[in-house]
Amino acid sequence: MNATDTLRLALDHFHQDDYAAAEQLLFGLLETHPRHKDALQLLGSVAAAQGRFEEAALAWQQALPLVDPDSEEALALRYRLGRAFYEQGRHEDSFLLYRDLIEAGHERPEFFVAAAAALQGLSPSGKNDGQALALLEEALRRNPDVPDTWHRKARLHERAGQWEAARECLRQVLLRFDQRAQYWLDAGLIEHAMGEYEEALRYYDRALILDPDLVDAHVSRGTTLARLRDHEEAIDSFRRALRMDAGDADAHVNLALSLLALGQLEEAWPLYEWRWEGRGADPYRHAAIPPWNGGSSLSGKRILLWAEQGQGDTIQFSRYVLQMVEAGAEVVFEVPESLFTLMQGLPVAGRIQLVATGAVLPEVDYQLPLMSLPLVCNTAMDKIPAPVPYLNVHIDLKRQWEQRLDAIAPRAAAQVRVGIICSGNPGNVNDARRSIALERFAELAKAREEVSFFIIQPDLRPADAQWLQQAGPQWHAVGEGIGDFADTAAALSCMDLVISVDTAAAHLAGALGLPVWIALPHAPDWRWFLQRHDSPWYPTARLFRQQRAGDWGEVITTLRAALAVAAFSS
């Protein structure tokens, strides 16, 4: 059989996915014709089809000197070689290859797209996203009819939080090709991010018509239903996803969150342990230390409890430290530096060892992340440990804050001091739903005379700070004096009432046993459950809930009415 027939037969085997037979023929051909460019190119394609991109790149590199450098064949070969570099993780080599092609005048759309992908691979953090976006725009200028290029551009806008631009890109995608489920799913995710939940559901449903087994569409549909407070339907979507893929971490975690919101804690806690596995999950620290399983005795054992997620979560679940001490454990409690002094106010602080996150740890027998404690402690709705206060303010620090506040606004007879926290961490994914413009609280000043309002947060947003400058003599900013959460706790403890959005300060006021009114969005975080106006976590808390998503007007009106009739001890 001559070389041409051998190559043709190898190509037939390749098209039939019989890679072993194709390789055998090609290796034999190359033994007698080591510079056979077509055999080398096909050998590279056979290797790439099996995910062996290093071998593919080697074969194509050997083929390149054998073809006319100015030919279409050479361009196609170099394009494939760049893809092989990319798949190996050699993103810089891939980018330089495509850049050289473009600078040589070969300004083909696919080269710009491939260069953009390589640039993104060079910096997964997104540092190169601006350059990648420019490359995609060049590709679209040359050929605007490729839906995948629009899709890539949409994903870059999404990562930058440029929702309108991402939405427009996906509109362009669907105008060109509307038979791919992933496109509809991603369009739904953009609508969800923009708060257009009903529209998001419509997109997910279109995705599921095209691909009923698309697990991510079921999970995303459930997440959007949960945002609409339709947790029963959301649970159905999550369970559908798990029937298709029992190992989908995001389905497990979101199922747990909906069950938690409905108060079905005992079923939810084991599912919540999947939070370490989902997309974008936090890293599980201290994995080299054996985790405590909740069954073995802690008597005489040393256990590391470590903070996870937000500072409010740490404040809320620090209540479980007492239970670990009562179980006989020697507790090492690792917390962020911002909470270190505050946690010295735990009633058992003298019996535990506090360590700042990142500091050297003592030898321990076990470890457990803080939010796994409800599971190992078998927490049910009627067994939530809620003795308050379970955090205390040092008396000297409180005295300092009393003096500071008196210097700002001396307390008159019958005067009521109300602490206000209107916003949380702007980086929180739910911040837009939970934070309230400070000027919206101006209505509260009409509730009664002799009220002073103190804005107790270290960082005010520019619009809030600007409003406060002209708000009048009843309003006072005290954020500049707050160094950490111990200061926040001391300032809060000087108030007759705390009114807060759902942020760490609300948890802190509850942990201190202070009267705290918490303004909640229509679809609140799971820990506030649904419907109820009290909290089993914080006996001194009162919850004020949005009745319509995004509408704080009724909440502020209700807060004003409650403040008007509230009784305060002298």
Side-chain angles (χ1 to χ4, degrees):
M1 187 163 52
N2 61 33
T4 300
D5 290 339
T6 301
L7 186 66
R8 185 181 296 113
L9 183 57
L11 185 61
D12 288 341
H13 283 300
F14 173 66
H15 288 152
Q16 295 167 22
D17 298 339
D18 188 354
Y19 303 129
E23 284 181 335
Q24 186 176 4
L25 288 167
L26 291 169
F27 285 139
L29 176 56
L30 288 166
E31 281 184 11
T32 56
H33 300 79
R35 291 175 58 79
H36 197 297
K37 66 180 181 65
D38 294 331
L40 286 167
Q41 289 190 60
L42 182 54
L43 183 63
S45 297
V46 172
Q50 299 174 81
R52 291 162 22 207
F53 294 103
E54 187 174 356
E55 295 175 37
L58 181 61
W60 289 332
Q61 284 172 308
Q62 291 179 54
L64 261 177
L66 306 176
V67 302
D68 179 354
D70 297 321
S71 66
E72 286 294 321
E73 184 180 19
L75 283 179
L77 187 52
R78 293 176 74 185
Y79 177 77
R80 294 200 299 272
L81 178 59
R83 295 299 302 170
F85 287 157
Y86 179 87
E87 294 294 346
Q88 290 178 70
R90 294 170 58 182
H91 299 123
E92 184 175 5
D93 289 334
S94 179
F95 172 70
L96 292 174
L97 187 152
Y98 293 123
R99 187 196 65 182
D100 289 346
L101 283 172
I102 293 168
E103 290 181 348
H106 304 295
E107 297 183 347
R108 300 189 176 184
E110 61 268 26
F111 295 165
F112 286 99
V113 173
L119 261 184
Q120 286 185 266
L122 274 170
S123 180
S125 66
K127 182 181 69 174
N128 295 332
D129 282 4
Q131 292 171 273
L133 189 62
L135 287 165
L136 292 177
E137 288 169 350
E138 287 293 331
L140 288 167
R141 190 165 63 83
R142 288 161 175 80
N143 185 0
D145 294 323
V146 181
D148 187 61
T149 307
W150 284 107
H151 186 237
R152 288 175 178 273
K153 188 169 182 279
R155 298 296 293 269
L156 283 174
H157 284 305
E158 178 186 4
R159 187 151 83 163
Q162 297 165 350
W163 307 116
E164 285 288 359
R167 174 192 267 171
E168 174 57 24
C169 286
L170 282 160
R171 190 181 74 84
Q172 296 293 333
V173 169
L174 293 169
L175 281 173
R176 287 160 174 81
F177 187 70
D178 63 358
Q179 294 302 301
R180 186 179 173 196
Q182 188 66 46
Y183 292 160
W184 288 101
L185 169 58
D186 288 347
L189 293 173
I190 297 300
E191 296 301 321
H192 176 98
M194 297 180 73
E196 300 293 339
Y197 303 126
E198 297 290 352
E199 189 71 0
L201 290 175
R202 187 176 73 83
Y203 283 116
Y204 300 145
D205 288 343
R206 287 292 297 271
L208 289 167
I209 289 170
L210 292 169
D211 185 356
D213 296 331
L214 185 57
V215 171
D216 285 350
H218 287 287
V219 175
S220 299
R221 184 174 183 273
T223 303
T224 298
L225 286 164
R227 191 58 57 84
L228 290 167
R229 294 202 312 191
D230 192 350
H231 288 283
E232 295 289 356
E233 283 294 317
I235 287 169
D236 181 66
S237 285
F238 299 138
R239 295 200 194 280
R240 284 176 185 268
L242 290 170
R243 283 196 292 272
M244 298 170 196
D245 183 358
D248 189 280
D250 291 309
H252 280 99
V253 172
N254 283 290
L255 174 57
L257 293 174
S258 277
L259 290 169
L260 287 168
L262 295 176
Q264 300 173 29
L265 307 189
E266 290 160 294
E267 183 182 357
W269 296 128
L271 294 166
Y272 194 54
E273 291 302 297
W274 284 81
R275 67 191 181 277
W276 306 106
E277 309 298 330
R279 286 185 291 274
D282 292 332
Y284 188 95
R285 298 184 291 115
H286 308 303
I289 304 171
W292 183 55
N293 60 13
S296 57
S297 173
L298 285 175
S299 182
K301 299 293 185 180
R302 182 178 288 175
I303 185 171
L304 168 67
L305 304 178
W306 49 277
E308 55 166 308
Q309 301 188 40
Q311 294 171 118
D313 300 283
T314 301
I315 292 168
Q316 179 180 3
F317 290 97
S318 64
R319 69 186 68 216
Y320 284 93
V321 173
L322 172 62
Q323 291 187 254
M324 296 298 99
V325 171
E326 290 177 342
E330 297 178 28
V331 173
V332 177
F333 191 18
E334 184 193 51
V335 297
E337 186 69 40
S338 60
L339 294 174
F340 188 86
T341 303
L342 174 69
M343 290 302 160
Q344 293 174 11
L346 286 168
V348 292
R351 299 160 63 187
I352 66 174
Q353 181 176 351
L354 281 170
V355 179
T357 302
V360 176
L361 295 171
E363 292 292 325
V364 296
D365 300 293
Y366 302 113
Q367 58 83 17
L368 208 62
L370 200 59
M371 295 179 72
S372 291
L373 285 168
L375 170 63
V376 298
C377 293
N378 300 313
T379 302
M381 281 293 286
D382 59 350
K383 295 180 181 177
I384 291 176
V388 292
Y390 61 84
L391 281 173
N392 296 304
V393 179
H394 194 282
I395 188 64
D396 289 340
L397 189 57
K398 180 175 181 178
R399 187 178 297 115
Q400 292 172 20
W401 270 93
E402 286 280 12
Q403 293 171 354
R404 184 175 300 171
L405 295 173
D406 284 341
I408 294 172
R411 187 191 284 269
Q415 184 190 49
V416 175
R417 284 180 170 173
V418 177
I420 300 289
I421 301 92
C422 65
S423 60
N425 177 5
N428 187 291
V429 294
N430 291 320
D431 181 67
R433 295 190 305 113
R434 67 173 183 174
S435 292
I436 306 175
L438 181 57
E439 65 179 323
R440 299 294 300 270
F441 289 91
E443 283 292 308
L444 302 185
K446 302 174 184 177
R448 59 199 297 163
E449 297 179 355
E450 303 299 334
V451 179
S452 291
F453 297 93
F454 296 85
I455 316 306
I456 306 176
Q457 49 192 103
D459 297 307
L460 271 179
R461 299 178 188 187
D464 294 334
Q466 184 176 359
W467 178 83
L468 193 58
Q469 288 177 356
Q470 50 81 47
Q474 284 179 277
W475 297 85
H476 312 281
V478 297
E480 289 185 3
I482 295 175
D484 60 12
F485 274 91
D487 279 317
T488 302
L492 293 176
S493 70
C494 297
M495 300 294 116
D496 300 299
L497 172 67
V498 176
I499 300 177
S500 178
V501 298
D502 181 11
T503 188
H507 292 279
L508 180 53
L512 294 167
L514 303 174
V516 55
W517 296 353
I518 306 172
L520 296 177
H522 182 252
D525 193 69
W526 65 264
R527 71 204 72 213
W528 307 115
F529 307 116
L530 300 175
Q531 309 303 333
R532 61 191 302 163
H533 297 287
D534 65 337
S535 169
W537 299 101
Y538 302 114
T540 61
R542 183 175 172 185
L543 310 181
F544 294 76
R545 299 175 180 270
Q546 277 186 348
Q547 298 306 304
R548 291 176 299 278
D551 180 11
W552 289 113
E554 187 174 346
V555 172
I556 296 296
T557 299
T558 308
L559 284 167
R560 174 183 168 180
L563 182 59
V565 299
F568 298 96
S569 57
S570 57

